Amino acid sequence: MKEGIWVGIESLENTKLPSEWNKGAFGSVLEFRGCVRNTNDGKEVVAIEYEAHHSLAEKSLHEIRSRLLHEFPDISDIAIYHRIGKLNLGEASLLIG
């Protein structure tokens, strides 16, 4: 299971948010999935490829997570997962919860 921050090539299609979030401690759990769409700026898209410097990307996501948790103290936890590599139409590139 992925926890907290994750950047990698594995598919996010079957990735779930941390299981402890569903044990009744939270009043709500929100999930956002960013997916590859079929157009961008009016041009057809068939796939997209993300590249990243792995440790820098994870560091940036940790900073974003920390800033959000500090700015919004009522949020108990945040997970940010970002996929890199080639993704086809409809595949999730980002999962935030």
Side-chain angles (χ1 to χ4, degrees):
M1 170 190 295
K2 300 167 180 60
E3 300 209 11
I5 300 297
W6 175 87
V7 176
I9 61 171
E10 293 86 8
S11 174
L12 294 174
E13 300 311 308
N14 295 315
T15 300
K16 299 191 182 329
L17 296 172
S19 62
E20 61 269 15
W21 290 10
N22 294 323
K23 304 233 188 247
F26 303 145
S28 64
V29 176
L30 304 176
E31 180 179 305
F32 170 84
R33 288 182 188 261
C35 300
V36 178
R37 62 177 182 251
N38 62 0
T39 60
N40 185 48
D41 290 332
K43 297 178 183 174
E44 182 181 10
V45 173
V46 294
I48 190 167
E49 186 153 354
Y50 289 101
E51 295 179 355
H53 184 280
H54 194 269
S55 60
L56 182 59
E58 283 191 342
K59 180 181 179 215
S60 295
L61 294 178
H62 275 289
E63 290 172 359
I64 292 167
R65 181 180 181 271
S66 294
R67 192 171 48 231
L68 288 169
L69 289 170
H70 177 74
E71 188 172 337
F72 301 98
D74 289 337
I75 295 176
S76 299
D77 202 356
I78 298 172
I80 306 173
Y81 308 146
H82 200 299
R83 187 161 168 215
I84 55 176
K86 184 179 178 183
L87 286 78
N88 295 313
L89 292 179
E91 287 188 276
S93 59
L94 181 66
L95 171 60
I96 302 173

